[in-house]
């Protein structure tokens, strides 16, 4: 198993439960990949924040089942990921934005053909400010420009239905840690894989510390890492073409300590291409931390996250005068400059075909593939990573029997 993110760990535990010997090779010194929980001490209170994937959304059945199996609590955040007020354009209400989002989703269904978010927004014919607000909402959630994202995102990751949003009590990384604990010494961190080569006797995996032979391998590395060519893996023309058609999303997160605990909130900056929120934690009260998420490469460039948190922090302060900020240093998390991620999560363009979907999921000989980018229904999400890992493991189990 290459990668100890949720996809790799889900596959490995499934295989181990079936009685197969597994080894998980992870480049980082921790498990979880782009699921990374961090502890902040804010005024003597321990607060867990998510530097990566955060919200447990509607349809996260696999995530919830694994959490229950590990005895980990899934707690209500007290706010909805799907409902955000607008900071700079208060004349556009939450209800107006939600109505526009529902109309966009209905138009997608009526079209009955693939279309980009950009095309759907053009066809809707909304007023300038409302269209820009809807565009910003979708681009932030997709972590990519609207013209590169399939319109199915409007009913998926950028839905406007006011469903509840949850998180794992104690941090989402607890799921990865729990799975890794079950695998024990089978998980080996600090192993940077450089190549995977299939031969007549099996699969040879080369890392910075040596070589090892395996009967089968599941590659559970992020899409951008595979596309970078830093890790040589067996592939096909169809798989390579399908991977290149996917859109690599880019996102960052910023956490700011507060001088006092506020109420729950969710506020979006249209020109800034970011949103902020305060939420209930495992203690059942609102944590004294403001979280922010920025999506799309142009959005990150405008906030100058490459130079640090200052520009973004100032923009957050400007739209949240209702909050009292502490003097603690900002916590900025970026993924595009992370050598083991090279981006946030993937999204799918309008022209991705059924053959492309099958190519993404297909094994190449004794080498399988898993990751959020592989899953057609929950692409870009923790749930998609887990489901893809289970499918890759099930394919190996079937062959072993």
């Amino acid at each position: 198993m290459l990668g100890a993110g949720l996809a790799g760990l889900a596959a490995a535990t499934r295989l181990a439960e079936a009685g197969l010997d597994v080894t998980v090779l992870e480049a980082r010194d921790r498990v979880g990949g782009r699921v990374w929980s961090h502890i902040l001490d804010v005024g003597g209170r321990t607060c867990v924040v998510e530097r990566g994937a955060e919200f447990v959304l509607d349809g996260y059945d696999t995530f919830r089942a694994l959490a229950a199996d590990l005895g980990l609590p899934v707690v209500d955040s007290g706010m909805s990921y799907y409902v955000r007020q607008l900071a700079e354009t208060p004349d556009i209400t939450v209800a107006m934005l939600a109505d526009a989002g529902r109309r966009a989703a209905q138009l997608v269904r009526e079209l009955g053909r693939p279309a980009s978010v950009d095309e759907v927004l053009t066809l809707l014919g909304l007023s300038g400010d409302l269209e820009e607000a809807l565009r910003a909402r979708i681009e932030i959630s997709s972590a990519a420009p609207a013209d590169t994202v399939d319109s199915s995102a409007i009913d998926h990751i950028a839905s406007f239905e006011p469903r509840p949003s949850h998180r794992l009590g104690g941090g989402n990384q607890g799921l990865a840690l729990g799975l890794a604990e079950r695998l024990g010494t089978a998980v080996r961190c600090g192993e940077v894989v450089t190549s995977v080569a299939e031969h007549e006797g099996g699969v040879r995996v080369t890392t910075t510390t040596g070589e090892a032979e395996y009967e089968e391998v599941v590659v559970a590395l992020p899409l951008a890492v595979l596309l970078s060519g830093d890790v040589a893996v067996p592939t096909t023309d169809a798989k390579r073409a399908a991977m290149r058609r996917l859109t690599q999303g880019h996102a960052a997160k910023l956490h700011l300590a507060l001088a006092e605990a506020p109420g729950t909130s969710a506020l979006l900056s249209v020109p800034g291409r970011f949103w902020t929120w305060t939420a209930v934690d495992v203690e059942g009260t609102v944590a004294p931390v403001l979280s922010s998420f920025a999506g799309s490469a142009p959005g990150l460039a405008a906030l100058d996250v490459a130079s640090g948190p200052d520009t973004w922090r100032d923009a957050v302060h400007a739209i949240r005068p209702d909050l009292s900020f502490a003097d603690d240093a900002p916590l900025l998390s970026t993924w595009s400059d992370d050598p083991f991620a090279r981006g946030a999560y993937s999204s799918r363009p309008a022209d991705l075909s059924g053959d492309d979907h099958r190519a993404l999921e297909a094994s190449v000989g004794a080498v399988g593939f898993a990751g959020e980018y592989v899953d057609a229904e929950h692409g870009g999400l923790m749930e998609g990573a887990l489901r893809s890992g289970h499918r890759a493991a099930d394919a190996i189990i079937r062959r072993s029997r």
Side-chain angles (χ1 to χ4, degrees):
M1 196 68 51
L2 308 187
L6 293 189
L9 291 171
T13 52
R14 189 87 144 202
L15 292 170
E17 288 167 356
L20 301 179
D21 291 330
V22 297
T23 299
V24 182
L25 304 179
E26 167 57 44
R28 303 179 191 276
D29 60 0
R30 61 171 178 83
V31 299
R34 285 164 288 175
V35 178
W36 183 17
S37 304
H38 184 94
I39 296 177
L40 289 177
D41 184 333
V42 183
R45 176 171 171 175
T46 298
C47 301
V48 178
V49 299
E50 302 295 346
R51 304 188 71 165
E54 180 151 353
F55 292 102
V56 177
L57 302 175
D58 195 50
Y60 272 43
D61 299 334
T62 305
F63 186 104
R64 293 174 185 274
L66 287 171
D69 186 46
L70 291 167
L72 301 172
V74 177
V75 299
D76 194 327
S77 66
M79 42 77 71
S80 178
Y81 163 89
Y82 306 98
V83 179
R84 307 170 194 177
Q85 293 182 314
L86 302 184
E88 295 91 351
T89 49
D91 53 311
I92 299 177
T93 66
V94 168
M96 291 169 62
L97 188 60
D99 178 67
R102 294 187 188 102
R103 288 165 55 195
Q106 180 61 32
L107 178 56
V108 172
R109 291 188 284 271
E110 292 173 355
L111 283 175
R113 61 171 175 80
S116 70
V117 168
D118 191 62
E119 180 185 357
V120 169
L121 293 181
T122 299
L123 291 173
L124 270 181
L126 302 171
S127 66
D129 284 349
L130 184 55
E131 179 181 326
E132 184 62 12
L134 187 59
R135 182 184 301 274
R137 168 69 173 81
I138 298 169
E139 288 185 340
I140 293 169
S141 296
S142 302
D147 60 350
T148 68
V149 179
D150 182 70
S151 57
S152 62
I154 300 171
D155 242 348
H156 182 41
I157 195 170
S159 173
F160 292 83
E161 297 303 319
R163 304 182 183 100
S165 305
H166 297 82
R167 296 183 294 184
L168 201 61
N172 291 340
Q173 195 180 353
L175 190 68
L177 292 169
L179 295 175
E181 184 177 2
R182 288 188 170 180
L183 293 165
T185 57
V187 180
R188 292 160 45 185
C189 292
E191 294 274 3
V192 181
V193 176
T194 57
S195 69
V196 180
E198 189 178 18
H199 57 86
E200 188 173 340
V203 183
R204 178 179 297 112
V205 176
T206 303
T207 74
T208 50
T209 62
E211 294 182 350
E213 298 285 338
Y214 303 96
E215 291 183 20
E216 300 207 44
V217 166
V218 174
V219 177
L221 303 177
L223 171 68
V225 171
L226 294 176
L227 290 176
S228 73
D230 288 351
V231 183
V233 299
T235 188
T236 63
D237 289 344
K239 181 180 286 289
R240 187 183 303 107
M243 290 171 65
R244 287 175 175 167
R245 288 191 185 103
L246 296 175
T247 300
Q248 176 59 60
H250 295 278
K253 297 186 79 170
L254 181 70
H255 293 94
L256 300 174
L258 300 175
E260 55 188 37
T264 57
S265 65
L267 197 66
L268 182 148
S269 171
V270 172
R273 288 303 193 266
F274 69 87
W275 73 294
T276 71
W277 65 94
T278 50
V280 172
D281 65 10
V282 70
E283 296 181 14
T285 57
V286 180
V289 176
L290 179 72
S291 301
S292 299
F293 177 95
S296 81
L300 300 188
L303 293 170
D304 195 22
V305 297
S307 299
D310 291 353
T311 299
W312 193 356
R313 179 199 57 206
D314 292 345
V316 169
H317 284 190
I319 69 167
R320 298 305 307 256
D322 56 311
L323 298 177
S324 176
F325 292 92
D327 293 330
D328 304 45
L331 178 65
L332 175 66
S333 306
T334 57
W335 292 98
S336 301
D337 55 357
D338 184 315
F340 303 128
R342 296 180 180 269
Y345 43 84
S346 66
S347 62
R348 294 166 185 263
D351 62 353
L352 200 72
S353 68
D355 287 342
D356 289 327
H357 286 295
R358 288 183 284 275
L360 290 170
E361 189 174 326
S363 298
V364 179
V367 179
F369 292 82
E372 51 81 14
Y373 73 92
V374 174
D375 191 80
E377 184 180 359
H378 293 86
L381 302 174
M382 291 185 285
E383 180 71 12
L386 293 168
R387 292 190 184 198
S388 73
H390 282 172
R391 281 197 301 272
D394 290 343
I396 292 175
I397 293 168
R398 287 194 298 270
R399 289 193 291 271
S400 73
R401 292 173 178 170

